[in-house]
Amino acid sequence: MQQQYVEVAPGVRLWTERCGADGPALLLVMGAQASGLGWPDVLVEALAVRHQVIRYDHRDTGRSTTAFDEHPYPITDLARDAVAVLDGLGVERAHLVGMSLGGMLTQLVLADHPERVLSATLIGTCALSDTAYAAPDGTRVPVGELPGIAPEVLEMWSRPVEDGGLEAELDRRVEHWRVLGGGQLPFDASYFRDLERRIIEHTGTHAASTAHARADDSHMLRTDELAGASVPTLVISAPAEPVFPPPHPRHLAQVIGVGTRVVEIAGMGHALPPAVQGPLAEAILAHTGSAVMMPGGTTP
């Protein structure tokens, strides 16, 4: 396992970690306000059997530079950071796996830098497109009419985050994971408490950042670019997903088009509890194993 800081912009450096086999690189892109340690070790180790797995801390998370208040940036800069991480680690092409906001960032890289992407896996996210969803009955549903975020999630996100100390912050984060889990699988509070305690120790503070929620999210639509994408893409469908519930995965697959596959992980919500880690690793490895490299390449 190798840890390294990568400078992605003047005065901005990101913490990265690499582990695993000498196979094709696989870059894990986490969601908003989430450290790279949000990718569970068991999942990372399963993927590392076949890949050089890279996870990293976004700006304003984990051990990476905290600078939003002094130098605000748009969400699109976080996608550029993902490419800069590959550059800094000397990786020409990689399989990308993105969750939540990380799934949007992966779409941006797929659209803007397809030559850097061996394959893409999108989890718990929505399409960066204004193309209507074609329902099974032939109805075309405008993007704005697709199911929205669950009220319980919106209510929690609307609460002000107050600093009540370490244990109170752990309580808040565990409750957040309970809500995001979606309720179909048993919820293991101790698992998520241990995960968040480790992330806090890694970060060095229990203070919660709001940088990504405040970042400019304009200029993210990539309708034409995604429709023309030729990179093998897998979309994970989570039946208990409370943020981007079905049919968002099917819509995403329609937007990206030919060759995009959808795989459902039973009971999954907007979280990565132990019960979904094995099936998710199997789905990702099956996808990366069958994906064909960009023109001029070979099957990895």
Side-chain angles (χ1 to χ4, degrees):
M1 187 176 297
Q2 179 181 355
Q3 298 183 26
Q4 180 179 337
Y5 284 93
V6 171
E7 185 171 358
V8 298
V12 179
R13 65 177 196 161
L14 305 186
W15 174 88
T16 73
E17 178 190 84
R18 287 189 283 182
C19 67
D22 292 331
L26 187 151
L27 181 67
L28 298 171
V29 188
M30 241 305 157
Q33 312 302 157
S35 160
L37 267 62
W39 294 102
D41 289 348
V42 170
L43 176 62
V44 171
E45 290 163 5
L47 298 175
V49 171
R50 291 240 305 269
H51 293 285
Q52 175 194 159
V53 179
I54 304 165
R55 56 182 174 178
Y56 69 99
D57 291 338
H58 294 297
R59 304 183 191 200
D60 290 277
T61 75
R63 296 180 179 175
S64 294
T65 299
T66 298
F68 184 84
D69 290 338
E70 294 78 22
H71 302 286
Y73 49 82
I75 292 295
T76 50
D77 274 5
L78 299 179
R80 296 186 184 96
D81 287 352
V83 176
V85 165
L86 297 180
D87 290 340
L89 298 180
V91 176
E92 181 180 357
R93 293 173 177 168
H95 299 279
L96 266 61
V97 178
M99 180 167 183
S100 194
L101 176 65
M104 298 179 193
L105 303 180
T106 297
Q107 289 177 69
L108 290 173
V109 178
L110 176 62
D112 298 345
H113 301 281
E115 75 283 356
R116 306 300 298 272
V117 187
L118 292 172
S119 77
T121 299
L122 306 172
I123 307 167
T125 194
C126 66
L128 299 183
S129 171
D130 54 9
T131 300
Y133 168 62
D137 64 0
T139 304
R140 295 191 65 80
V141 183
V143 172
E145 296 179 14
L146 291 175
I149 301 171
E152 189 177 13
V153 175
L154 289 174
E155 191 279 327
M156 187 158 195
W157 286 354
S158 70
R159 301 177 197 169
V161 178
E162 299 176 352
D163 187 351
L166 172 60
E167 296 304 320
E169 176 60 17
L170 285 168
D171 289 343
R172 185 191 70 83
R173 296 189 188 191
V174 170
E175 176 63 10
H176 188 217
W177 283 122
R178 184 193 68 76
V179 172
L180 291 179
Q184 288 191 17
L185 296 172
F187 181 69
D188 185 347
S190 62
Y191 169 81
F192 284 101
R193 195 175 193 87
D194 289 344
L195 172 68
E196 289 298 338
R197 192 181 296 277
R198 180 166 173 249
I199 289 172
I200 287 170
E201 291 172 353
H202 167 77
T203 304
T205 178
H206 66 267
S209 172
T210 60
H212 298 166
R214 293 180 285 139
D216 179 6
D217 62 359
S218 61
H219 306 297
M220 291 179 64
L221 283 183
R222 295 292 189 277
T223 298
D224 292 340
E225 294 87 347
L226 291 173
S230 59
V231 174
T233 301
L234 170 67
V235 180
I236 298 298
S237 179
E241 171 67 58
V243 179
F244 298 112
H248 278 283
R250 295 287 174 185
H251 177 236
L252 184 49
Q254 290 175 4
V255 163
I256 298 176
V258 178
T260 300
R261 297 189 306 117
V262 178
V263 171
E264 180 174 301
I265 304 296
M268 186 173 177
H270 199 79
L272 299 174
V276 309
Q277 293 169 22
L280 182 59
E282 291 177 9
I284 294 171
L285 289 174
H287 176 58
T288 61
S290 63
V292 177
M293 294 175 66
M294 298 296 292
T298 58
T299 301

